[in-house]
Each structure stands twice: as structure tokens, then as C-alpha cells.
Amino acid sequence: MEFKKEFLQKLQSAKKIVFFTGAGISAESGISTFRGKDGIWNKMKPEELASFDAFMRNPDLVWEWYQHRRDIVNKAQPNAGHTAIAEFEKFFDVSVVTQNIDNLHRSAGSKKIFELHGNIERNFCINCHTFYNSLEIELSNTVPKCSKCGGLVRPDVVWFGEMLPQDEFSEGEKAAEWSDICFVVGTSAVVYPAAYIPMSAKRGDSYLVEVNIEPTELSSYADYSLFGKAGEILPKILEEVKKFKS
Ligand code: BJW
Ligand code: ZN
């Protein structure tokens, strides 16, 4: 694979790198994306499952959907894309700003991770806010009740209409703004405020590189678009890095 010269030069001089990732980076680990060809939302409407109103309307249904996805996530392994990102840390100051809730960046060994949409492993009581990790509650297909107050327990993920965790978002924004290169990997970049992250990078004069199997909302904005699978392209970029860092 041939990369353009300008990109290779940026890679040679870069110190801080941000990876802004979405569902597409986990597709090769067997986790479905939301939108696009094999997206789960071709079959189900997001507002029917990924909102607090939906949860209150039918808590068991929403819980069962997360339970199903938890099963998939628990069996999934990081792929070559996650592993390459973790290995970038040997050569650069790397931050991973992810919209994913699947823990695969952590399993791959990335250290500095900002999770914008929460984590499927954590749950909390909507009443008294007691946190439960998935090992602490009985995981069945019906919604669990809080052992302290009997309230409904929900996954600690960010649904439509909900605020993102402020620290994770502002740290992620800062990392993007101060980065020399910002890779935007496997995201349709249509969900806000997460999709402001690449814009923060641009504002800080970072070099914006998109990695996706198809053009997105961001393509016209990116300095360089690489179309193909993240699990194939990212290891090739890492090979280039190794050439000039060793
Ligand atoms: C590959 C590949 C391979 C495949 N290799 N690539 C402007 C400002 C602020 C808010 C808004 C705004 N406009 C609208 C809003 C509201 C709303 C929003 O953004 N709506 C848009 C959809 C229109 N945002 C919100 O509600 C947010 N909160 C908020 O705004 O709070 C403020 C507020 C509070 C109260 C009142 C008023 C305001 C919250 C958003 C939460 C999103 N949550 C979800 C669910 C999380 C839990 C769960 O997982 O169930 O997050 S929705 C879903 O989308 C999930 C994802 O993280 C997110 C982004 O999806 P992502 O990762 O981009 O995946 P896909 O599937 O879209 O794309 C995959 C890509 O991969 C594709 O491009 C493929 O081509 C590619 N691909 N294989 C490389 N192998
Ligand atoms: Zn409680």
C-alpha cells in the first residue's frame, strides 16, 4: 500500500496522536455497527432502544438487547486494528477517544482511553445511582433490581438526549486539539457531540486522517482519506512508522 508523501512526513514529525474511533473498528471483531450495510439499526430504530424513554417504556426489552450485546462483546477479541493502535504507544504519545462501549481498546493494551459513550460492563441504579459491574448483578434477560433500593438497573452507556461524561469529553477534546495527527477510524461521524472531536483536532491544526470502508460526513473535511478495513490499513501505517523509528 502506497501512502501519500505529505502523510508520511506528518507521521515522521508527529509527537502526539489521537485515534477517534467508532463501531467500525470493532466490526472485524464480530461486533455489528449501528449504521451502514450490516448496521443493527437497519432492523431496529435507535429511539426505540437507545433512549431513557425507551427504557422506561419497556425496561426488559432494552435490558435484553444490552444483555445480547454483552454476550457478543464478552466473546470478542481485539483485532489487528485495535492492536496496531496499542502498538503506536511505543512510538508516540497516544490518546484513544472512543465512542465504543466494548472495552476492546483496553483489552488490546491501549492506556490512555477516553470513553465518550460509557461502558457496557458498568451498570447503575436509576434511583440511588449505586454502580454495579456486570459480575455483581445477576445477568438475566429481565432487568435487574438494585439490591439497596429496588430501583431499575440500567447499563452505564450514553443514550440519545443524555449528556456525555464531561471529563472524558473535555479531555478527549483537549487531546484532539493538541494532537499532531488525528485518525478518525470506523465512525460515520453523525452523532454529536462526539463528532465535534475531529473538528477540535482541525481547530488545533492537527492533520486529519480518515480510515473507513466508505466515504462519510467527514471525508470532505479530512486531509487524507484511506478507504479500506481498519484491521488492514492501521497495521500498514504502523509498518511505515517502524521503518523510520527503528
Ligand atoms: C468500518 C469497518 C471496518 C464498518 N473498518 N470502518 C448537535 C449537537 C449536540 C447534539 C446533537 C446535535 N444534533 C443532534 C443531536 C442529538 C443527538 C445526535 O447526535 N443525533 C444524531 C444521530 C442526529 N445526540 C445526543 O442525543 C447525545 N447527547 C446530547 O446531545 O446531549 C446533550 C443534550 C442533553 C439533554 C438535552 C439536550 C441535549 C448523545 C448521543 C449518544 C449516542 N449513543 C449511542 C448508543 C450508545 C450505547 C450503545 O452502544 O447502545 O452511541 S448511538 C450509537 O451511535 C452509539 C455510537 O457510539 C454512536 C456513533 O456510531 P458510530 O460509532 O459512528 O457507528 P456507525 O455504525 O454509525 O458507523 C460505523 C462506521 O464504520 C461506518 O462509517 C462504516 O462505514 C465503518 N466501518 N466496518 C473501517 N472494518
Ligand atoms: Zn438503588
Side-chain angles (χ1 to χ4, degrees):
M1 186 170 192
E2 283 280 308
F3 295 106
K4 78 173 177 184
K5 209 169 158 205
E6 181 189 60
F7 169 59
L8 293 174
Q9 282 165 349
K10 293 279 177 190
L11 211 50
Q12 288 213 20
S13 60
K15 295 202 165 47
K16 293 177 194 237
I17 294 191
V18 160
F19 289 91
F20 174 57
T21 65
I25 194 165
S26 297
E28 290 158 77
S29 295
I31 301 175
S32 300
T33 59
F34 295 92
R35 302 166 190 84
K37 197 166 58 71
D38 299 316
I40 44 181
W41 286 346
N42 294 334
K43 294 171 217 125
M44 288 174 275
K45 284 204 183 120
E47 57 276 18
E48 278 167 22
L49 289 167
S51 73
F52 188 71
D53 285 352
F55 181 68
M56 290 317 281
R57 253 196 319 271
N58 196 342
D60 284 343
L61 173 75
V62 174
W63 182 264
E64 188 183 355
W65 183 54
Y66 279 96
Q67 188 52 17
H68 167 69
R69 289 174 56 207
R70 213 175 263 124
D71 287 343
I72 295 169
V73 163
N74 285 343
K75 289 186 196 116
Q77 297 293 326
N79 63 55
H82 298 102
T83 311
I85 291 178
E87 219 185 316
F88 264 79
E89 280 185 21
K90 290 185 187 157
F91 309 104
F92 304 97
D93 175 353
V94 174
S95 301
V96 178
V97 184
T98 188
Q99 298 165 88
N100 299 345
I101 59 171
D102 61 23
N103 267 317
L104 291 181
H105 285 299
R106 195 164 291 114
S107 310
S110 285
K111 295 283 181 298
K112 213 192 299 170
I113 306 168
F114 302 108
E115 291 176 321
L116 301 185
H117 291 160
N119 189 301
I120 199 167
E121 274 300 300
R122 288 190 310 262
N123 307 276
F124 68 92
C125 167
I126 62 167
N127 210 20
C128 71
H129 283 85
T130 300
F131 273 84
Y132 297 91
N133 70 41
S134 292
L135 296 172
E136 290 168 332
I137 44 174
E138 195 202 332
L139 292 172
S140 70
N141 280 342
T142 53
V143 65
K145 303 274 165 51
C146 174
S147 58
K148 292 199 177 130
C149 78
L152 299 178
V153 173
R154 61 165 280 183
D156 187 16
V157 297
V158 180
W159 284 328
F160 285 109
E162 294 184 330
M163 301 285 286
L164 274 63
Q166 281 312 301
D167 288 355
E168 306 274 320
F169 184 71
S170 59
E171 291 299 312
E173 256 195 324
K174 261 190 258 165
E177 199 170 337
W178 294 344
S179 68
D180 301 308
I181 303 178
C182 176
F183 288 97
V184 180
V185 186
T187 176
S188 55
V190 294
V191 174
Y192 285 86
Y196 287 133
I197 295 288
M199 297 179 194
S200 301
K202 262 302 209 193
R203 195 171 56 234
D205 216 18
S206 183
Y207 191 73
L208 206 58
V209 182
E210 172 181 47
V211 178
N212 200 301
I213 50 170
E214 60 184 27
T216 69
E217 298 282 314
L218 203 90
S219 302
S220 56
Y221 201 69
D223 293 298
Y224 192 25
S225 289
L226 293 162
F227 296 118
K229 292 184 172 175
E232 291 169 8
I233 292 179
L234 293 174
K236 291 198 176 113
I237 299 174
L238 184 64
E239 269 172 38
E240 296 294 328
V241 170
K242 286 180 178 168
K243 280 186 205 161
F244 58 74
K245 291 279 185 183
S246 55

